Amino acid sequence: MGEREHEREHVRVAVVGSGFGGLGAAVRLRREGVTDFVVLERASSVGGTWRDNSYPGCACDVPSHLYSFSFAPNPDWPRTFSGREHIRAYLEHVTDTFRLRPHIRFDSEVKRMTWNAERLCWDIETSSGNLSADIVVSATGPLSDPKIPDIPGLDSFPGKVFHSARWDHDYDLCGKRVAMVGTGASAIQIVPAIQPDVSRLTLFQRTPPWVMPRVDRAISDAERWLHRQLPVTSQLRRGLLWGIRELQVQAFTKRPNQLGFVEQLARRNMARAIKDPALRAKLTPDYRIGCKRILLSSDYYPALAQPNVDVVASGLAEVRGSTLVAADGSEAEVDAIVFGTGFHVTDMPIAERVVGADGRTLAETWKGGMEALRGASAAGFPNWMTIIGPNTGLGNSSMILMIESQLNYLADFVRQLDVLGVPPGPSGSGGGRVALDARPSAVRAWNHRVQERMKRTVWNAGGCTSWYLDASGRNTTLWPGTTAEFRRATRRVDLAEYEVLRAPAAEQTAKKAEKKTEKKTEKKAGVDA
């Protein structure tokens, strides 16, 4: 067993996932001079959530020039808000530009990652083979595993059922009676995209969202030419978009009452398209804007006003054959059900597959709620880092900004390990691996500060229940500050927040090196005397 263990392929870093987080980590590792790494991807292509979400109307609600890497600007974005196909093409471009394909292993789903305390590395089982790694970077993302609610009778539904993130393109919705369950970011894009084609669309709305106009337009050839010829103009555009959103943060995090004016704008947006007072009443939220994600759409409300659309102001409670029954007792006969019910965000499935130093899974450790030091490191899981971890999400800006901050932290984490590591002896043997394990006290202190700040944010105090909150009502998803604050907090690794672990061989080598240094010092002292 021991021999086979050492024959197993070993890499310096294993990155899990090839969305923005995974590809960003791969680029950063290469820029840091680390080339001994692999990217493990369960699918057959890159793209993450932008590969998986192929539903009609899929697009981003963050401006294009802000929803891209600072180190890989794209002067040729065709629209101010990009569609899914443009973002996916951008990620393919990043993959090729930075020569990442040789590092990517497609169709390699991670089944289990187990910390090997003796060798100070992670033993990784994948669907395409096993390997080990000094460091694991988990970049699976919170929007990767769809969540379908447990609805009584759903299994007996005779029609078609699928989630928005697993769209069935072989099933033609034209002329069908379709139920859309949910009113989140995906649903408000799907509804106007399919409404003209279906015979009847029934929207099951548990909680109405606040919707603002989506001011989208084509970016002119002149603008794109200018961005190509003068890259600084693209940087200025990105900086302006970033600055505006940074100025908005205080209203979300410290002064939610200031958002009343924004609510007035949202009400006017609704009133322009929804003339029926009864329908308008159904669609008007009873919580402070921003408590749930503010959605952007200029065609959602007009679609709901069409004669072939019914809005059920209640959640789906039961399925009886082809009849859907809402919590308020209303019924609808449908041929297909589309779930726009979100993802496993506060209970990420990858956590079930990560086994730490004490033999417990990350899911077991996080049973009382997710928490990680600076959104990256979990106590008891040495040399394991997550991108877009607990409390790193945003309610009003681009997640790419947060990802890049975490990449800075990752880069310094690798540097610190290199500095702390014991160099190999003359024969190439004797070098030992080093690991950094977040101290429980540091994780608790960080999480306490975050949760204290979270109390007065609109996400906690706005009077709603959202996917930002876990089962116990704690907000383990969002960051209660500016992106600039987070960048400062993750600029470098504070070794005082970590315990340094050394493999037995490394400890012996380190002691020998110390003794050798001591003898040299003593000898030199004798000569000087």
Side-chain angles (χ1 to χ4, degrees), residues 242-269:
W242 168 78
I244 291 170
R245 281 154 182 78
E246 290 288 273
L247 292 174
Q248 296 170 350
V249 171
Q250 282 218 344
F252 286 88
T253 60
K254 295 179 180 178
R255 301 182 182 90
N257 288 335
Q258 292 182 350
L259 293 166
F261 173 69
V262 185
E263 275 183 24
Q264 302 252 344
L265 297 177
R267 287 177 191 275
R268 285 179 197 163
N269 179 47

Side-chain angles (χ1 to χ4, degrees), residues 248-259 287-292 391 393-396 448-466 468-469 473-482 485:
Q248 296 170 350
V249 171
Q250 282 218 344
F252 286 88
T253 60
K254 295 179 180 178
R255 301 182 182 90
N257 288 335
Q258 292 182 350
L259 293 166
Y287 55 86
R288 175 62 76 194
I289 193 169
C291 183
K292 291 169 73 77
N391 291 114
L394 296 175
N396 73 312
H448 177 73
R449 290 196 297 272
V450 169
Q451 293 301 325
E452 282 299 305
R453 292 182 62 182
M454 196 67 74
K455 287 179 181 177
R456 57 180 176 175
T457 66
V458 69
W459 309 304
N460 278 37
C464 74
T465 300
S466 71
Y468 298 148
L469 311 179
R474 290 171 66 240
N475 193 327
T476 58
T477 306
L478 297 182
W479 167 245
T482 64
E485 282 181 277

Side-chain angles (χ1 to χ4, degrees), residues 400-413:
I400 312 306
L401 302 169
M402 301 296 277
I403 288 172
E404 289 199 33
S405 292
Q406 291 198 291
L407 298 183
N408 290 340
Y409 197 70
L410 168 64
D412 197 49
F413 193 94

Side-chain angles (χ1 to χ4, degrees), residues 187-252:
I188 71 156
Q189 294 178 344
I190 293 169
V191 165
I194 67 173
Q195 175 271 319
D197 299 324
V198 303
S199 65
R200 185 135 220 96
L201 178 60
T202 304
L203 177 67
F204 285 84
Q205 170 194 268
R206 191 171 56 180
T207 308
W210 285 106
V211 182
M212 297 289 286
R214 188 168 182 263
V215 188
D216 185 26
R217 66 171 179 83
I219 297 177
S220 69
D221 291 341
E223 288 174 274
R224 284 187 268 174
W225 179 86
L226 186 63
H227 292 329
R228 281 194 300 271
Q229 300 303 313
L230 293 172
V232 68
T233 60
S234 182
Q235 293 168 9
L236 288 171
R237 186 174 193 156
R238 179 185 174 91
L240 180 62
L241 292 167
W242 168 78
I244 291 170
R245 281 154 182 78
E246 290 288 273
L247 292 174
Q248 296 170 350
V249 171
Q250 282 218 344
F252 286 88

Side-chain angles (χ1 to χ4, degrees), residues 27-50:
V27 171
R28 191 56 187 266
L29 288 170
R30 283 192 64 115
R31 294 176 77 183
E32 290 293 317
V34 179
T35 56
D36 182 18
F37 69 89
V38 295
V39 178
L40 303 172
E41 171 53 57
R42 67 183 177 183
S44 56
S45 60
V46 302
T49 191
W50 295 104

Side-chain angles (χ1 to χ4, degrees), residues 113 122 135-140 348 350 354 362 366 370-393 402-414 436-439 442-443 446-447 450 476-477 479 486 489-494 497-498:
M113 294 185 281
W122 286 94
I135 306 164
V136 166
V137 179
S138 179
T140 57
M348 293 187 289
I350 189 67
V354 184
L362 185 61
W366 280 351
M370 299 190 303
E371 53 182 33
L373 177 61
R374 303 183 188 275
S377 303
F381 296 82
N383 282 11
W384 184 90
M385 298 190 69
T386 179
I387 305 295
I388 315 185
N391 291 114
T392 60
M402 301 296 277
I403 288 172
E404 289 199 33
S405 292
Q406 291 198 291
L407 298 183
N408 290 340
Y409 197 70
L410 168 64
D412 197 49
F413 193 94
V414 173
L436 292 175
D437 188 8
R439 296 182 184 275
V443 175
W446 171 262
N447 191 62
V450 169
T476 58
T477 306
W479 167 245
F486 189 74
T490 52
R491 196 178 300 279
R492 59 182 60 86
V493 170
D494 181 357
E497 296 180 329
Y498 288 86

